[in-house]
Amino acid sequence: MIYWVPSPMYTPGHPAALIALVHHRMVGSLRSTDSAFTSSAGRQASTNFGVGYACGKAGHPATDAHVHQYVRLGDQAWGNGNWDPTGAWDNRYPTSYINSRTVSVEHHDNGGRTRGNGKGVVPEKVLAASIELDRLLLSGDLAAMKAAGIRFRDAHATAIARELRAMPLDRHHLVDHHYISGRLKPYCWRPWADDPTGFPQDRYLAELATPPVPEETVNSYPVPKVPSIGTVAAGTWLYVTSALEPNAANIKVDPGRDLPYLGQPSTTTRIVEYVEASGVHSGRAMFVKAPDLTNIRPAPDPTPYNQAQLDYAKKAGYADAKAKAVTAVQGI
């Protein structure tokens, strides 16, 4: 369960797509972070989430680690904007709208970095809860995130889920604050005093890299989790490439029928799975002009895949089309 503890300190809107999950240390507790982020008289700072325990709020777990959300996904928390060229971020990513490009997570460490007092160390139960939060976010499962209590700016919920789903799991997308801010944040979340590890990136990557559930695909296009059906009229052409070019492997649908809808890679083109007149699924993704596919139900997510999948499937489609064309010409 994720608890809503709203902060007044954020910038509305989502002008740039998500790139990374950024992990911070609180240099304090969940209770003190709640106070800092929810008081307009406090620090002009916030993050999207905080993970900790003993927040003192009625109805929240007393000793178990749990998550507070301070800023909706789709709005910009004020946590990662202090970019500095001594960090690693500028080698890879734009330095504008960093708070829009990131989801920020604070972690309870119970205070400062005086050596020998055991403070400044993120407890095991907080790490475990944080990893599960990352797992949920990276799933991009909008229904599951909402069921867990995560809040979104309504207009951006679908886009945010898609961006999270497309985020790679590697050292440049699962980072700490120092990665962005360099010398301005030398210890967030780097080793110090009684914490010789800092952000345990290796552990996060290992635990989050569980074998993925095999994805159902048609010609390497993933089938949407909520399948949609669209209607094509008799005489509609289905194309083997997204360029809608003449090709011996194109298919003219006769009679017209309903076909599984896979997605929309551009405003002019949609993708369907070809189904034989007998009802047999061919397992082939085919392209169709957008106006020729009508009555799509239920309303689909128009692009249920990321650009890398589109590029791969496009190459696979061209290769498949070329092989079919050669076969047709040779009469094999």
Side-chain angles (χ1 to χ4, degrees):
M1 180 67 183
I2 294 168
Y3 298 87
W4 177 235
V5 183
S7 171
M9 290 172 284
Y10 68 92
T11 301
H14 183 57
L18 290 173
I19 293 173
L21 304 186
V22 183
H23 303 76
H24 302 239
R25 64 179 346 136
M26 289 177 179
V27 194
S29 65
L30 188 58
R31 185 193 293 255
S32 65
T33 300
D34 287 353
S35 177
F37 286 176
T38 59
S39 170
S40 56
R43 292 177 57 203
Q44 297 297 294
S46 62
T47 57
N48 296 101
F49 299 98
V51 187
Y53 57 93
C55 66
K57 294 190 179 330
H60 292 215
T63 58
D64 290 342
H66 58 286
V67 179
H68 288 180
Q69 183 175 6
Y70 302 112
V71 176
R72 294 176 300 183
L73 299 184
D75 287 328
Q76 301 164 71
W78 296 348
N80 298 323
N82 53 346
W83 169 80
D84 190 84
T86 57
W89 181 272
D90 66 315
N91 295 332
R92 293 175 173 271
Y93 306 125
T95 57
S96 61
Y97 298 118
I98 295 179
N99 283 325
S100 179
R101 301 181 195 277
T102 54
V103 175
S104 46
V105 186
E106 286 277 7
H107 297 79
H108 173 117
D109 67 352
N110 199 33
R113 59 187 179 94
T114 303
R115 187 176 300 277
N117 66 5
K119 292 189 174 183
V121 179
V122 177
E124 170 59 31
K125 60 185 176 182
V126 173
L127 291 174
S130 172
I131 289 170
E132 291 312 306
L133 173 62
D134 280 10
R135 192 187 311 280
L136 176 60
L137 292 170
L138 292 171
S139 74
D141 188 328
L142 184 57
M145 287 188 284
K146 286 186 172 181
I150 292 180
R151 301 205 179 197
F152 296 81
R153 188 174 184 86
D154 288 341
H156 300 297
T158 300
I160 290 289
R162 189 179 305 125
E163 291 161 16
L164 287 167
R165 192 163 61 240
M167 193 179 292
L169 180 62
D170 62 31
R171 296 182 184 279
H172 302 291
H173 296 85
L174 209 71
V175 301
D176 62 12
H177 194 186
H178 178 81
Y179 186 95
I180 294 172
S181 299
R183 64 181 178 84
L184 300 180
K185 289 290 180 179
Y187 298 113
C188 191
W189 178 4
R190 294 296 160 119
W192 69 353
D194 291 344
D195 178 9
T197 302
F199 173 49
Q201 188 182 56
D202 288 342
R203 173 179 172 179
Y204 275 65
L205 292 173
E207 293 197 22
L208 292 170
T210 53
V213 176
E215 189 172 42
E216 184 183 358
T217 62
V218 174
N219 273 25
S220 51
Y221 286 97
V223 177
K225 291 182 178 179
V226 179
S228 298
I229 299 292
T231 302
V232 292
T236 299
W237 279 101
L238 306 181
Y239 299 85
V240 293
T241 72
S242 59
L244 309 179
E245 302 164 327
N247 192 288
N250 293 343
I251 299 171
K252 191 173 185 178
V253 176
D254 190 19
R257 64 184 72 98
D258 288 345
L259 299 176
Y261 171 82
L262 301 183
Q264 180 173 336
S266 70
T267 57
T268 59
T269 310
R270 295 183 188 263
I271 308 173
V272 295
E273 180 190 1
Y274 177 56
V275 178
E276 307 280 353
S278 62
V280 175
H281 288 247
S282 69
R284 276 190 288 162
M286 304 290 288
F287 297 89
V288 61
K289 295 177 182 176
D292 290 344
L293 187 67
T294 60
N295 190 29
I296 303 174
R297 68 271 184 203
D301 177 355
T303 54
Y305 27 69
N306 60 41
Q307 190 59 48
Q309 289 169 314
L310 282 172
D311 293 344
Y312 180 82
K314 182 177 180 180
K315 291 177 183 177
Y318 276 118
D320 185 54
K322 181 178 180 181
K324 285 179 167 38
V326 169
T327 298
V329 169
Q330 294 177 343
I332 298 175

